Amino acid sequence: MSQRTAFQQHFAHSRPTSTSTAELDALAAAAATAAPVWRAADAATRASWLRAAADALDAHIDELVAIADEETRLGETRLRGEVGRTSGQLRLFAAVVEEGSYLELTIDDADPSATPPRPELRRTLTGVGPVAVFAASNFPFAFSVAGGDTASALAAGNPVIVKAHSGHPRLSERTAAIVASALVEAGAPEGSLGLVVGREAGNALVQHPTIQAAGFTGSLGGGRALFDLANGRPDPIPFYGELGSVNPVVITAAAVAARGEALAQGLVGSFTLGVGQFCTKPGVVFVPAGAGFEDLVAGFATGSAGGPLLTDRITEAFPSGIAHLEADPSVTALARGLPAADGAARPVVLTTDAAAVAARPTALLEECFGPVTLLVRYSTPAELVAALEAVPGSLTGTLHSETGDDVDAVLAVLERKVGRVLFAGWPTGVAVTWSQHHGGPWPATTSLHTSVGATAIRRFLRPVVFQDAPAHLLPAVLRDEALATLPHRRNGVLRLP
Amino acid sequence: MSQRTAFQQHFAHSRPTSTSTAELDALAAAAATAAPVWRAADAATRASWLRAAADALDAHIDELVAIADEETRLGETRLRGEVGRTSGQLRLFAAVVEEGSYLELTIDDADPSATPPRPELRRTLTGVGPVAVFAASNFPFAFSVAGGDTASALAAGNPVIVKAHSGHPRLSERTAAIVASALVEAGAPEGSLGLVVGREAGNALVQHPTIQAAGFTGSLGGGRALFDLANGRPDPIPFYGELGSVNPVVITAAAVAARGEALAQGLVGSFTLGVGQFCTKPGVVFVPAGAGFEDLVAGFATGSAGGPLLTDRITEAFPSGIAHLEADPSVTALARGLPAADGAARPVVLTTDAAAVAARPTALLEECFGPVTLLVRYSTPAELVAALEAVPGSLTGTLHSETGDDVDAVLAVLERKVGRVLFAGWPTGVAVTWSQHHGGPWPATTSLHTSVGATAIRRFLRPVVFQDAPAHLLPAVLRDEALATLPHRRNGVLRLP
């Protein structure tokens, strides 16, 4: 079977099936053929391909949202917004490619008088090669087939093969078909975007010799298994996983006194948003004992609504996760939200105390997907810091304090434990911008890089330096005429075009 | 035993012994205490600490070189040069810290009119925490206790614990004592630099909960074992290893015709330099069949000198590595250098052909430390490219061609397979500059980062972003007054101070 035929046949399936080894090999061969074309494409060309993908998503929004709502029950409003986020990500990366700083162009001129004589060196970043992307359940667009991992991998100059999430198989297939067609119509090579289905195919994908890096958003268990496969290869590859986060929040007594009601309302809004299925859900909230904050939270939580969860697995895991927490002798249920329909999740607020968290962090600080949060009462700053030290690496940490609070010790722990520190608002909601960092110490992410925002592109690039190269053999971006139009460092000095 | 006492006792040992678990715990506790001090130190302070370490090395050069020569037999000239390289690396990283681009400061101002409203985000990079550095045998200074890994980890704001190489134990101990003292005298905290001895201690070090990243230069076997330990932790950490490289060289027939004698002389000089124990030694050289290049190489190789190898293990491995290659039916010995003293290595040039390399790459392309290189005859461009495709990831790839040669296919493979592509000269010699990249696809290195040059600092930094932070709670580098003096990106636009 020719590569082209396998590729076409794959997308011709009207129903997703498990991808065979032969089909994966064909997709990988097509990606390997496409890789040098993506790497060599100049900025304007690569940006135009990314924008073509964005335009295609927007053009098919009605059809895609309808499929997504059937498969995920996330609702049209949320899903339409997510399509906009997804096409916006593709366009941000088009801008990143055009701006050019991401190449980290660095030139050192020759210095024959140095000891030893220094050669000319010209460094750029270049695509690592075909990338595997493992789609998430909770963002069927923005962290899925054409989501941020895919956008940043393509922007870096790499073809992508996506492992579809089983929670939205038809949407995955349709999105891949639309985006792959749009890319080819815009002039990108066949093999720019492939899709595999099934757990076995995913495992084979991350171990495939053609694949040079992988992005993943999902559970700690699933992510760890793939991380181990990626690192267990004869030639290990970087595995960029986002695996789980409890997103600690610290509220001071002064903050409760100044704006307790607003904070309680905000917290309930945040932990129930999207039925508590955001990776940045505030899962553990340190509250001052005796300040009355629990009552305020209970008041708002009682009126809060849950809803259906994304998948059967999450639906089953939610009550058992709560039961696991409630089995700890220190834990009591503070409030429950409005009764939910059969099979849907009802919001729950649990409470415990800081001493229990410090003593039994593994039992009390495991991420529980769904509308549940754990209030942790603290009485002294020392108790607070000790409990906070027990919190695993997280994507976010939030501090609600007032001027005059001594928060140095708390901030020192948060800065070490999380990737984003918030001083207002709530962690749900992740702006897609140049500065965003969506990552954190293990298990929040498996690397020192972000999966959201402009710098996510760095994950899929590797440096290469050219020593004493004749101008005509240099990559175009490293020639003098290109340097005149691109940010670069020359002999240690950063220069703007 | 107090941390301080254990730390002092460790350095008080007149003979290196294996570091105990209790000693390692004490060193780790001291490093954990030092970490926030290093992270918080401003650029001028951190740079002054690095320069104090550099000055101390230079001030003790006579004593250190004498110990190093006893332990490594590398000779005074080479060792003096290496001390200069090592103190120079520390000073380069001081300059990198002062320049400030390495922080990747990125600000997005709030935009309340956006949908959803965009918060203010301010991003910087910050130290990952205490770093483990595994010293190499072949650079007792520059890739050892106070070498590039240590310099870049300290520059990033992290204390370091070094695993001494067994090839130069007394030098390791003395260097650590000198540099640790100089750091403390310059105002850096106790616990800035620790040293452990023994394989078991090294294994425990990379698995220690306090350690947040590791740097390594050494063998594929040893590096892979530590890589697996680092990734097998409950909380895996990045392991930046440089594990082995055959450094392919391609010579065209036109280049042989134009300057065959100079190329042959240069090659022999490069593969025998430092008794063939550089990680960038040209280990496999693709030469045009029938161009007479082998004879030229044989001529120079016959007069070349070997010498004693670094360690007993390397001394034993060298003849068995050659025997392993000669066992292949395609391999013949082309030339041997001057007879060497007992236990010393005599240069050897072997030959084979491209078809054999393409057919049996595992047998023919394993790195062999010492003064040996393998000439691979090719007859057609297709044969050359097929054999080159079989070369494992390498630190360098060198192309000697003439204007008019069609080298596109060769360059395409080299750019994908190596981190540094050379068009003149030889790969031994790695300039320590802003642009240098000393890395490559597995097994050259285990990551997409360099271990030499300014950007090596990125390995030991993690991003953290502050959302809607009051100015007085921001890290100093993210406040408006600091931004005025530092390169940064604001709302997508890169700005120079």
Side-chain angles (χ1 to χ4, degrees):
Chain A
M1 190 187 302
S2 81
Q3 291 165 19
R4 182 65 199 279
T5 310
F7 189 75
Q8 289 176 320
Q9 279 202 353
H10 187 76
F11 279 114
H13 288 159
S14 58
R15 278 284 168 276
T17 58
S18 187
T19 303
S20 70
T21 303
E23 284 172 318
L24 172 57
D25 284 343
L27 289 169
T33 303
V37 183
W38 273 88
R39 258 200 303 272
D42 65 22
T45 302
R46 214 187 284 161
S48 74
W49 295 345
L50 293 166
R51 292 196 177 102
D55 293 345
L57 284 179
D58 288 343
H60 290 81
I61 187 168
D62 294 341
E63 175 195 355
L64 291 172
V65 164
I67 303 172
D69 198 27
E70 280 175 32
E71 291 191 319
T72 68
R73 302 174 290 189
L74 283 171
E76 186 178 341
T77 307
R78 148 74 195 272
L79 289 166
R80 282 193 172 270
E82 195 182 323
V83 172
R85 180 185 185 90
T86 309
S87 57
Q89 285 178 155
L90 287 157
R91 293 190 183 100
L92 171 66
F93 282 108
V96 168
V97 167
E98 288 173 333
E99 196 269 346
S101 288
Y102 82 99
L103 294 168
E104 298 184 5
L105 300 177
T106 311
I107 320 297
D108 289 312
D109 288 315
D111 182 359
S113 72
T115 309
R118 202 173 71 177
E120 182 197 73
L121 292 169
R122 294 180 179 234
R123 175 186 188 266
T124 185
L125 300 186
T126 188
V128 288
V131 170
V133 169
F134 291 79
S137 66
N138 60 341
F139 278 92
F141 293 105
F143 287 80
S144 192
V145 172
D149 284 342
T150 298
S152 53
L154 292 173
N158 307 299
V160 170
I161 300 179
V162 178
K163 154 67 171 59
H165 195 279
S166 57
H168 45 271
R170 285 187 298 121
L171 178 67
S172 301
E173 190 114 356
R174 189 67 189 123
T175 306
I178 288 169
V179 173
S181 292
L183 289 171
V184 169
E185 278 165 31
E190 297 280 348
S192 299
L193 181 68
L195 185 76
V196 300
V197 176
R199 176 181 300 233
E200 288 307 309
N203 291 349
L205 177 63
V206 78
Q207 297 175 89
H208 199 285
T210 296
I211 295 298
Q212 295 301 309
F216 170 92
T217 305
S219 71
L220 179 55
R224 173 88 211 202
L226 290 168
F227 175 88
D228 289 343
L229 290 178
N231 285 301
R233 290 166 53 127
D235 57 335
I237 57 169
F239 181 83
Y240 303 105
E242 184 200 318
L243 309 190
S245 179
V246 297
N247 304 301
V249 176
V250 174
I251 300 178
T252 68
V256 173
R259 50 198 164 100
E261 192 159 318
L263 289 173
Q265 185 172 20
L267 170 61
V268 172
S270 183
F271 93 79
T272 60
L273 191 71
V275 203
Q277 297 167 107
F278 288 115
C279 42
T280 51
K281 181 194 79 172
V284 52
V285 185
F286 294 88
V287 304
F293 189 64
E294 295 98 315
D295 292 345
L296 295 171
V297 172
F300 288 104
T302 307
S304 70
L309 294 166
L310 279 159
T311 66
D312 290 346
R313 208 161 62 91
I314 295 171
T315 304
E316 283 159 27
F318 181 63
S320 59
I322 292 170
H324 179 76
L325 287 168
E326 286 190 301
D328 190 278
S330 72
V331 172
T332 57
L334 174 72
R336 293 185 196 276
L338 300 171
D342 260 9
R346 182 180 183 180
V348 182
V349 181
L350 305 174
T351 65
T352 182
D353 55 76
V357 163
R360 296 182 297 282
T362 309
L364 291 170
L365 296 177
E366 200 173 325
E367 185 183 19
C368 183
F369 225 54
V372 56
T373 195
L374 178 66
L375 305 189
V376 181
R377 288 179 303 272
Y378 66 89
S379 298
T380 66
E383 199 179 54
L384 167 61
V385 169
L388 208 51
E389 282 283 7
V391 172
S394 284
L395 295 167
T396 73
T398 303
L399 172 62
H400 287 295
S401 64
E402 291 290 302
T403 310
D405 281 333
D406 180 0
V407 295
D408 286 356
V410 166
L411 271 183
V413 181
L414 286 182
E415 288 182 27
R416 184 156 38 81
K417 292 265 182 187
V418 313
R420 178 163 56 111
V421 186
L422 294 86
F423 296 83
W426 300 93
T428 41
V430 183
V432 181
T433 66
W434 287 83
S435 61
Q436 187 58 274
H437 181 61
H438 190 64
W442 185 281
T445 47
T446 64
S447 83
L448 307 180
H449 293 274
T450 184
S451 63
V452 177
T455 56
I457 195 172
R458 181 63 181 85
R459 301 176 295 167
F460 304 117
L461 293 161
R462 50 177 282 268
V464 60
V465 65
F466 296 83
Q467 180 170 326
D468 293 327
H472 72 283
L473 294 182
L474 280 169
V477 290
L478 282 174
R479 294 179 198 162
D480 286 337
E481 56 270 30
L483 294 176
T485 71
L486 287 167
H488 65 281
R489 182 178 303 278
R490 190 154 198 156
N491 300 320
V493 180
L494 191 58
R495 301 176 182 196
L496 300 183
Chain B
M1 190 188 304
S2 80
Q3 291 165 19
R4 181 66 198 279
T5 311
F7 190 75
Q8 289 176 320
Q9 281 201 350
H10 186 76
F11 279 116
H13 288 157
S14 59
R15 278 283 167 278
T17 57
S18 188
T19 303
S20 70
T21 303
E23 285 172 317
L24 172 57
D25 284 344
L27 290 170
T33 303
V37 183
W38 273 88
R39 257 199 304 271
D42 64 21
T45 303
R46 213 186 284 161
S48 74
W49 295 346
L50 293 165
R51 292 195 178 104
D55 293 344
L57 284 179
D58 288 344
H60 290 80
I61 187 167
D62 294 342
E63 176 195 356
L64 292 172
V65 164
I67 303 173
D69 198 27
E70 279 176 32
E71 292 191 320
T72 68
R73 301 175 290 189
L74 283 171
E76 185 178 340
T77 307
R78 149 73 195 273
L79 289 166
R80 282 195 171 268
E82 195 183 324
V83 172
R85 180 187 184 89
T86 308
S87 57
Q89 284 179 157
L90 287 157
R91 293 192 183 98
L92 171 67
F93 282 109
V96 168
V97 167
E98 288 173 332
E99 196 268 347
S101 288
Y102 82 100
L103 293 168
E104 297 184 7
L105 301 176
T106 312
I107 320 297
D108 289 311
D109 289 315
D111 182 359
S113 72
T115 310
R118 201 172 70 177
E120 182 198 73
L121 291 169
R122 292 180 181 234
R123 174 186 189 267
T124 185
L125 300 186
T126 187
V128 288
V131 169
V133 169
F134 290 79
S137 65
N138 60 341
F139 279 92
F141 293 105
F143 286 80
S144 191
V145 172
D149 283 343
T150 297
S152 53
L154 292 173
N158 308 298
V160 170
I161 300 179
V162 177
K163 153 68 171 59
H165 195 279
S166 58
H168 45 271
R170 286 187 297 121
L171 178 67
S172 301
E173 190 114 356
R174 188 67 190 124
T175 307
I178 288 169
V179 173
S181 292
L183 289 171
V184 169
E185 277 165 33
E190 297 280 349
S192 298
L193 181 68
L195 185 76
V196 301
V197 176
R199 177 182 298 234
E200 288 306 309
N203 290 350
L205 178 63
V206 78
Q207 297 176 88
H208 199 285
T210 296
I211 296 298
Q212 296 300 308
F216 170 92
T217 305
S219 71
L220 179 55
R224 175 87 211 202
L226 290 167
F227 175 88
D228 289 343
L229 290 178
N231 285 302
R233 290 167 53 128
D235 57 335
I237 57 170
F239 181 84
Y240 303 105
E242 185 200 318
L243 309 190
S245 179
V246 297
N247 304 299
V249 176
V250 174
I251 301 177
T252 68
V256 172
R259 48 199 165 99
E261 192 159 319
L263 289 173
Q265 186 172 20
L267 170 62
V268 173
S270 184
F271 92 81
T272 60
L273 191 70
V275 202
Q277 296 167 107
F278 289 115
C279 43
T280 52
K281 181 195 79 173
V284 52
V285 185
F286 294 88
V287 303
F293 190 64
E294 295 98 314
D295 291 345
L296 294 171
V297 172
F300 287 104
T302 307
S304 70
L309 293 166
L310 280 160
T311 66
D312 291 345
R313 206 162 63 90
I314 295 172
T315 303
E316 283 160 27
F318 181 63
S320 59
I322 293 171
H324 178 77
L325 286 168
E326 287 191 301
D328 191 277
S330 72
V331 172
T332 57
L334 174 71
R336 293 186 198 275
L338 300 171
D342 258 10
R346 181 180 183 179
V348 182
V349 181
L350 304 174
T351 64
T352 181
D353 55 77
V357 163
R360 297 183 296 281
T362 309
L364 291 171
L365 297 177
E366 200 172 327
E367 185 183 18
C368 183
F369 225 55
V372 56
T373 196
L374 178 66
L375 305 189
V376 181
R377 289 177 305 270
Y378 66 88
S379 299
T380 65
E383 199 180 52
L384 168 60
V385 169
L388 208 51
E389 282 283 6
V391 172
S394 286
L395 296 167
T396 72
T398 303
L399 172 62
H400 287 296
S401 64
E402 291 291 301
T403 311
D405 281 332
D406 180 0
V407 294
D408 287 355
V410 167
L411 271 184
V413 180
L414 286 182
E415 288 181 28
R416 185 157 38 79
K417 292 264 180 185
V418 313
R420 177 163 56 111
V421 185
L422 293 87
F423 296 83
W426 299 93
T428 40
V430 182
V432 181
T433 66
W434 287 83
S435 60
Q436 187 57 275
H437 181 61
H438 190 64
W442 185 282
T445 47
T446 64
S447 82
L448 306 181
H449 294 274
T450 183
S451 63
V452 176
T455 57
I457 195 172
R458 181 62 181 86
R459 300 175 297 166
F460 304 117
L461 293 161
R462 50 176 282 268
V464 59
V465 65
F466 296 82
Q467 180 170 326
D468 293 328
H472 71 283
L473 294 182
L474 279 169
V477 291
L478 283 174
R479 295 178 197 162
D480 286 338
E481 56 270 30
L483 294 177
T485 70
L486 287 167
H488 65 281
R489 182 179 301 279
R490 191 155 196 155
N491 300 321
V493 179
L494 191 58
R495 300 176 182 196
L496 300 184

